[in-house]
Amino acid sequence: MATPKKLPSGNWRIRVFSHIDVNGKKVYKSFTAPDKKKVMKLAHEFQDNKEEYPDKELTIAKAIADYIDSKEGVLSPSTIREYRRLQNKAYSSIETIYVSRVTSKDLQYFVSDLSRDHSPKSVRNIYSLLLSAIQMHTDKRYKVTLPQKEVINYSTPDDKEVRILLDNASDKLKLCIYLSAIGTLRRGEISALKYSDVLYDINAIYVHADMIKDKNNTWIYKPVPKNSSSVRKITLPKEIISLIGKGEQDDYIVSYNPDYITHKFCKLRNKLGLKCRFHDLRHYAATIRMYMGIPLKEIQAVGGWSSSATLQKVYVNQLKSKSVEYTKKANEYFEDNLLSNQKKNIKYF
């Protein structure tokens, strides 16, 4: 601590370090008192209280950086990588505000400005990180209106479209399509699949790993997949196990990273004039099982969905061919039983 100085007025003054501002400059707090002991007491009280409230002059930029650093050991590398990307691009208009002084009005203007050129999902993701960083340093609550969630129109392919894809795909891409459309696997799970994961004696595969990007944007093998429910054993038709073939235990079956799977699939899809994404094959796998009358819990287990609520989002947009089939079936029933003068005995139930 600095030494008190006696002023010409007879009072004593002392300057105590407070914090470093947004420009990296040291900021000091000055105290003045009639005698040396009193001014020293004021200085010591300030320092003691400052230790209790170290984040008093913390900026939003520093709060976000601290939050990401604190989560690096517990969140997935891909999540941390996305946080770093947002940290560098999304908060320039608000990053110099002190956490202790940020208001609901500040946050609402930030969200409103952001919504002009970002999708509702992006806005929610950006705001979620911001709010988490702020609330790690304060118990204050904020009232902010976020943009409404988008209604996603999935292009779930039907049997005919999946067949067209399979008929025109290379052997390796065909295997990827089978593993997703029948086996329910995600891109990263397909990329991480090794020959040691194939249970040849029971025609099954053991899904327990993922291929993800680390904070340096490099694809890495992650032994634990997206969530604990993703660890599962999937029985497949013998034809798919035959297509997998055999290889060295530690070799990857497909040897494509997730992005390359998407690239190859999109190239084929566009050539065939289709609209579905690779991930929509997984929706197809779940939807077909639903139409077959398989219980939701069983579908959830096979696909590794964390909850039935997540799984049910798939069914908002049903398969076109099945929708037409069931609509026709319903209309025929009503036509014959309510609209026709001559009722027929139709056994639908």
Side-chain angles (χ1 to χ4, degrees):
M1 184 180 291
T3 303
K5 293 183 179 180
K6 191 171 184 178
L7 301 174
S9 63
N11 290 327
W12 289 82
R13 185 179 71 183
I14 189 170
R15 295 173 73 240
V16 184
F17 173 73
S18 174
H19 63 277
I20 296 177
D21 67 14
V22 292
N23 298 313
K25 294 182 179 179
K26 292 182 177 180
V27 177
Y28 292 86
K29 179 77 172 176
S30 180
F31 296 93
T32 305
D35 59 71
K36 187 176 180 179
K37 284 185 178 181
K38 189 165 184 178
V39 82
M40 286 293 292
K41 182 181 178 182
L42 290 172
H44 282 298
E45 286 178 349
F46 172 75
Q47 279 204 325
D48 291 341
N49 290 331
K50 186 166 74 73
E51 291 303 316
E52 293 179 14
Y53 304 100
D55 299 324
K56 184 177 180 181
E57 301 300 337
L58 185 77
T59 63
I60 283 179
K62 185 64 168 60
I64 292 172
D66 287 351
Y67 178 82
I68 296 173
D69 289 342
S70 72
K71 300 294 183 179
E72 194 151 8
V74 294
L75 297 179
S76 71
S78 58
T79 299
I80 294 297
R81 179 172 51 83
E82 176 62 13
Y83 280 175
R84 297 289 185 200
R85 187 187 71 80
L86 294 178
Q87 177 191 8
N88 294 330
K89 294 184 177 182
Y91 305 102
S92 59
S93 66
I94 200 172
E95 63 183 4
T96 58
I97 298 178
Y98 291 121
V99 169
S100 61
R101 301 175 192 174
V102 71
T103 65
S104 294
K105 185 177 180 180
D106 293 325
L107 298 180
Q108 185 63 70
Y109 272 113
F110 173 73
V111 166
S112 296
D113 288 342
L114 205 61
S115 299
R116 291 191 176 95
D117 53 8
H118 289 75
S119 68
K121 182 179 180 181
S122 294
V123 173
R124 286 174 175 274
N125 289 342
I126 293 169
Y127 180 72
S128 177
L129 173 57
L130 172 62
L131 188 62
S132 295
I134 291 174
Q135 292 188 332
M136 190 169 76
H137 299 278
T138 178
D139 293 330
K140 187 177 178 182
R141 293 292 177 264
Y142 303 93
K143 188 175 181 180
V144 175
T145 303
L146 296 175
Q148 290 186 348
K149 291 183 178 180
E150 296 173 289
V151 176
I152 301 174
N153 294 313
Y154 295 109
S155 296
T156 305
D158 57 23
D159 295 337
K160 181 181 177 182
E161 291 170 328
V162 175
R163 185 71 262 170
I164 291 172
L165 287 165
L166 289 167
D167 288 343
N168 290 275
S170 63
D171 286 345
K172 198 171 285 189
L173 182 58
K174 182 183 294 186
L175 178 57
C176 293
I177 294 171
Y178 273 135
L179 289 172
S180 186
I182 295 178
T184 74
L185 271 68
R186 304 173 178 93
R187 295 184 317 160
E189 292 172 337
I190 294 172
S191 295
L193 204 61
K194 297 182 178 182
Y195 285 102
S196 57
D197 300 321
V198 185
L199 310 174
Y200 293 97
D201 56 331
I202 58 173
N203 295 316
I205 53 174
Y206 177 47
V207 181
H208 63 96
D210 201 356
M211 192 71 74
I212 63 171
K213 283 184 178 179
D214 64 12
K215 62 182 180 181
N216 298 315
N217 213 34
T218 301
W219 288 107
I220 61 170
Y221 178 87
K222 183 184 177 186
V224 179
K226 187 175 181 180
N227 53 64
S228 58
S229 59
S230 294
V231 178
R232 59 204 192 276
K233 182 179 69 176
I234 300 173
T235 302
L236 295 169
K238 292 180 181 179
E239 291 82 359
I240 297 179
I241 299 298
S242 297
L243 188 59
I244 289 174
K246 293 187 178 181
E248 295 295 326
Q249 292 288 284
D250 289 332
D251 285 351
Y252 294 111
I253 293 172
V254 174
S255 72
Y256 286 168
N257 68 45
D259 280 349
Y260 196 64
I261 290 176
T262 296
H263 167 74
K264 295 286 286 184
F265 180 82
C266 289
K267 188 175 180 180
L268 175 63
R269 175 203 66 190
N270 293 341
K271 179 182 176 182
L272 298 172
L274 302 177
K275 295 182 179 180
C276 58
R277 307 166 302 163
F278 185 83
H279 194 74
D280 291 326
L281 296 173
R282 187 166 143 83
H283 294 175
Y284 166 84
T287 305
I288 290 298
R289 284 171 168 81
M290 181 196 72
Y291 281 121
M292 292 171 65
I294 295 175
L296 199 59
K297 282 291 183 182
E298 177 64 22
I299 301 174
Q300 180 184 335
V302 170
W305 280 277
S306 57
S307 69
S308 57
T310 302
L311 176 58
Q312 285 174 311
K313 291 179 182 179
V314 174
Y315 305 142
V316 173
N317 292 278
Q318 300 177 340
L319 294 179
K320 294 186 291 292
S321 61
K322 295 295 183 183
S323 180
V324 170
E325 178 185 334
Y326 283 110
T327 298
K328 182 180 179 182
K329 189 174 182 179
N331 284 341
E332 285 177 354
Y333 176 88
F334 293 125
E335 286 170 0
D336 291 325
N337 290 276
L338 297 181
L339 301 175
S340 175
N341 292 326
Q342 197 170 8
K343 296 182 180 181
K344 300 176 183 178
N345 294 322
I346 300 178
K347 297 179 180 180
Y348 285 118
F349 304 102

